[in-house]
Amino acid sequence: MQEPIVKIDNMRFSRGDRVIYEDISLNVEKGKLTAIMGPSGIGKTTLLKLIGAQLTPDSGSVLFQGTDVHAISRTKLYDLRRKISMLFQSGALFTNMSVFDNVAFPLREHTQLDEDIIHTIVMLKLEAVGLRGAAFLKPSELSGGMARRAALARAIALDPELIMYDEPFAGQDPISMGVLVKLIKALSKALNLTSIVVTHDVTEVLSIADYAYILANKRIIGEGTPEQIRQSDSELVQQFLQGKADGPVPFHFPADDFSRSFLGAKK
Amino acid sequence: MKFLQNLGKSTLETISSVGASSIMLYGALFALPTWKNVRLTIAQMHVVGVQSLLIIMVSGLFIGMVMALQGYTILVNYGAEGSLGPMVSLSLLRELGPVVTALLFAGRAGSALTAEIGLMKATEQLSSLEMMAVDPLRRVVSPRFWAGVISMPMLALIFSATGILGGHVVGVDWLGVDAGSYWSIMQATVEWDKDVVNGIIKSIVFGLVVVWIALYKGYSCIPTSEGISKATTETVVFSSLAILGLDFILTALMFGIS
C-alpha cells in the first residue's frame, strides 16, 4: 500500500483545561477524498489547523509526506505549506482586493510569472469554478456560495497536492450545495488532488468521499468507506448518521448535577 | 488571597504581552525589505499618512491661530508682541507639533490599523495568509509599521508649518504684529539641531510607539466584535498615555538638563 500523504499518530490536543482530542490516529491516502465528520463544536477546524501546523499538539505527531510538520523550521514549514491549500469556512477572501487579485495573490507571492501568464492562469481557475464573469467584482459583492467558490479558485491557484475543506457546505442553499459537491468531486478527480473534507453534512459528503472518519467524544468513533459507515453497527455512528438528539453523544453539555443548579445550592 | 491571585495573574499577563509584542516588533522590523514590501509600504503611507493630512493640517492651523491669539494678549502687555513668531514656532516645533500630531495620529490612523488587522484576524484572512505560506508579519504588519514610522515625522512637520502660518494669519494679518519681526525673530531664535531635530526625534519615537501598540493590539485581539472594539479603544488609550509619558521623558532629556 502507498504511504499515506497525511498520517496522524496518537495525537492529543487541549485548549487550556479543555481536552479537544484524546488520542487520534488517522491516515489520508494520496489522491483520495477523505471525509472527516462530526458534530459542531467538536474541533474539526482545529484538526485542519493542526495538520497545517498553525496549532501544535500536546503529544503525538502529524506527518505530511513523511515529514513531521511540527518538528521542522519555519522556513521548511512555509515551503511545505505551498503544497497544501485550505478552504476556510468563511472563504477568507481578502476584502480589499477583487476576486481576480485574490486568486492571483498566491501566484504573485510565490512565482515569478509575468502578468500575462498570471491572467491566463487566474481566468482558467475562475472558469473551473464558474466565476470567470465575476473576476472583477469585490468579495463583498458575492453571495456566500460564490465567495466560497472564489476561495476555492484561490486555493487551487498553485496546484496544491492536498486541499483541506473546512465545512464547505455549511449554510448553503441546495443549489450552491450541489454546485460545491460537484466541484469538489470534479476537481479532486481532474487534478488528482488529495482532499480532506471536514463537515457535518453527512449525506452530501458520503456521496463523494472515498473514505470517512467520524469524530465524537474527543476521539474517532468510526471509520471506513461510505458503505461501511452506513452499515456500521456502532450506536454512536448510527446516532450521528440519523441525527438523533440524544444517545451516546449527549444532548447536554457537561454540567453539574441539575439538582444543585436548580435547587439553590450555590457553588 | 483572591487579590494576590489576580495581581499575579495580571502581572504575568502583562509580562507575556510585552514579550509577545516584542517578538512581533522584531518580526516586523527585520522583515527583509524586498521590492514588494517597499511598494506595500508606500501604499500604506498613502493610507496612514496622506489620508491623515487633512485633519493634521486643519488642527495645526487652528492651534497656531489660538496660540497667536493667546500669546498676543499676554505679550502685548510688555510691548513684546514682536516675539510672537518665536513663541508660536518654538511651542509648535518642540512640543505641540509632535505631541498633538501623535495624539491625532493615534485616533485617526492607530485605531484604523487595529480595527483593520483585528477584522482580518476575525475573518480568518491572517490564518489564510499563513496557510498560503505568506508570513502575515511580513506581508501585513511590517509595511504598516514602516509606513507609520516614516509618515509620523512628516505629519508633525506639516502640522508645525501650518501652525506657524496660522499664527501669521492671526498675529500679523489680523492683530497687526509686524511681519518682518514675526519671521526674522523666529529665524534668529529657532535652532535647527535643538528645536527642529529634537522635534523630529520625538515624532519618530511617538510614531513608532503608536503603530507598535496599534498593530500589536490588532494582531492579538480576541477575534469577535467585542474583542475588536476593546482592542481599538485600548490602542487609543494606551497610545495617548504612552505619548504623553514619553514626551515628558524626552523633553527632560532634550531640554531639561543643560
Side-chain angles (χ1 to χ4, degrees):
Chain A
M1 204 174 79
Q2 222 179 357
E3 179 76 4
I5 189 163
V6 175
K7 190 172 166 62
I8 298 181
D9 267 328
N10 304 102
M11 183 180 68
R12 187 193 145 88
F13 179 76
S14 57
R15 272 210 169 115
D17 296 332
R18 209 172 129 227
V19 178
I20 311 273
Y21 297 127
E22 203 80 77
D23 176 21
I24 283 197
S25 299
L26 61 82
N27 292 328
V28 176
E29 301 295 336
K30 194 168 163 46
K32 294 279 165 59
L33 201 154
T34 304
I36 298 172
M37 301 179 288
S40 320
I42 193 110
K44 299 191 293 294
T45 308
T46 309
L47 185 67
L48 296 185
K49 289 195 170 168
L50 283 160
I51 297 174
Q54 288 195 306
L55 297 170
T56 314
D58 301 342
S59 63
S61 63
V62 178
L63 303 181
F64 176 79
Q65 295 181 335
T67 319
D68 185 343
V69 296
H70 300 285
I72 52 177
S73 71
R74 211 172 157 73
T75 329
K76 286 222 180 88
L77 177 63
Y78 271 47
D79 285 343
L80 191 139
R81 278 189 187 153
R82 292 186 196 190
K83 300 184 200 162
I84 307 177
S85 261
M86 180 161 168
L87 183 72
F88 286 83
Q89 188 173 354
S90 60
L93 293 168
F94 302 121
T95 41
N96 58 344
M97 301 177 188
S98 68
V99 170
F100 181 93
D101 290 328
N102 261 289
V103 180
F105 183 86
L107 296 164
R108 288 181 180 145
E109 284 293 322
H110 292 308
T111 67
Q112 311 291 326
L113 300 172
D114 63 48
E115 274 304 309
D116 285 345
I117 298 178
I118 288 184
H119 184 270
T120 313
I121 298 177
V122 171
M123 283 309 185
L124 281 172
K125 303 293 178 189
L126 283 173
E127 176 70 25
V129 298
L131 287 182
R132 193 163 47 84
F136 297 101
L137 295 180
K138 289 270 182 181
S140 55
E141 297 171 278
L142 302 180
S143 71
M146 283 161 80
R148 223 162 279 182
R149 276 148 70 190
L152 182 55
R154 184 177 69 179
I156 56 172
L158 280 177
D159 295 324
E161 293 174 32
L162 169 69
I163 177 160
M164 304 192 282
Y165 300 89
D166 183 9
E167 295 284 6
F169 313 119
Q172 298 294 317
D173 65 69
I175 300 177
S176 311
M177 190 118 103
V179 170
L180 282 164
V181 168
K182 183 175 153 271
L183 265 177
I184 292 173
K185 176 91 181 161
L187 284 175
S188 56
K189 286 281 167 291
L191 307 174
N192 195 24
L193 276 170
T194 310
S195 316
I196 302 178
V197 182
V198 147
T199 183
H200 50 232
D201 294 294
V202 180
T203 3
E204 283 73 26
V205 80
L206 282 186
S207 70
I208 53 171
D210 295 306
Y211 203 79
Y213 290 91
I214 300 182
L215 279 175
N217 292 342
K218 301 167 192 168
R219 48 170 57 85
I220 291 171
I221 57 163
E223 62 174 285
T225 59
E227 204 40 47
Q228 288 167 335
I229 294 267
R230 286 194 196 99
Q231 307 288 321
S232 165
D233 49 11
S234 154
E235 245 184 289
L236 270 165
V237 174
Q238 288 306 328
Q239 184 202 352
F240 185 69
L241 290 185
Q242 292 163 23
K244 288 186 195 150
D246 211 349
V249 178
F251 168 69
H252 291 285
F253 191 81
D256 282 348
D257 183 29
F258 72 83
S259 59
R260 287 185 47 188
S261 299
F262 291 116
L263 300 178
K266 293 214 170 123
K267 272 192 180 175
Chain B
M1 226 30 220
K2 191 99 183 176
F3 168 73
L4 278 180
Q5 261 182 9
N6 285 339
L7 184 71
K9 188 167 168 252
S10 66
T11 312
L12 285 178
E13 273 170 7
T14 312
I15 293 174
S16 79
S17 75
V18 168
S21 62
S22 304
I23 292 171
M24 193 201 78
L25 182 66
Y26 173 85
L29 280 175
F30 294 96
L32 293 176
T34 57
W35 171 234
K36 221 176 251 166
N37 272 16
V38 172
R39 259 196 359 229
L40 288 170
T41 306
I42 292 171
Q44 281 304 317
M45 280 174 69
H46 176 78
V47 177
V48 295
V50 178
Q51 291 183 2
S52 304
L53 265 180
L54 187 67
I55 183 176
I56 295 291
M57 286 170 71
V58 172
S59 314
L61 188 74
F62 277 105
I63 287 200
M65 281 160 55
V66 169
M67 295 259 304
L69 205 52
Q70 291 279 11
Y72 180 84
T73 54
I74 296 169
L75 290 174
V76 79
N77 293 334
Y78 308 95
E81 69 270 23
S83 302
L84 192 64
M87 197 214 90
V88 171
S89 57
L90 284 181
S91 349
L92 279 169
L93 286 169
R94 287 182 178 183
E95 286 298 333
L96 289 172
V99 173
V100 178
T101 308
L103 292 174
L104 292 170
F105 186 72
R108 161 67 181 74
S111 58
L113 285 177
T114 306
E116 186 189 14
I117 299 210
L119 220 73
M120 286 182 85
K121 187 176 178 182
T123 53
E124 296 179 310
Q125 294 182 42
L126 294 181
S127 257
S128 81
L129 277 174
E130 276 271 336
M131 286 307 299
M132 279 189 254
V134 177
D135 188 349
L137 281 182
R138 192 169 286 188
R139 185 65 172 63
V140 176
V141 173
S142 168
R144 284 166 176 76
F145 178 82
W146 286 113
V149 173
I150 298 168
S151 305
M152 198 20 231
M154 296 193 203
L155 290 172
L157 283 178
I158 292 170
F159 182 94
S160 299
T162 39
I164 290 168
L165 288 178
H168 187 275
V169 169
V170 168
V172 178
D173 299 337
W174 178 23
L175 298 169
V177 173
D178 179 49
S181 60
Y182 185 84
W183 292 115
S184 64
I185 304 181
M186 187 192 303
Q187 231 170 10
T189 327
V190 174
E191 287 172 45
W192 166 255
D193 52 343
K194 199 170 158 214
D195 302 316
V196 180
V197 172
N198 275 345
I200 293 177
I201 293 174
K202 272 187 179 180
S203 55
I204 293 176
V205 173
F206 296 159
L208 192 146
V209 169
V210 170
V211 280
W212 184 15
I213 292 177
L215 292 172
Y216 175 69
K217 282 288 163 197
Y219 204 67
S220 67
C221 77
I222 302 160
T224 59
S225 36
E226 296 91 0
I228 294 170
S229 122
K230 185 162 165 269
T232 315
T233 312
E234 282 179 353
T235 294
V236 177
V237 173
F238 291 174
S239 311
S240 307
L241 292 177
I243 291 162
L244 297 170
L246 276 171
D247 182 49
F248 177 74
I249 296 171
L250 288 174
T251 307
L253 289 174
M254 288 167 175
F255 304 101
I257 307 147
S258 54

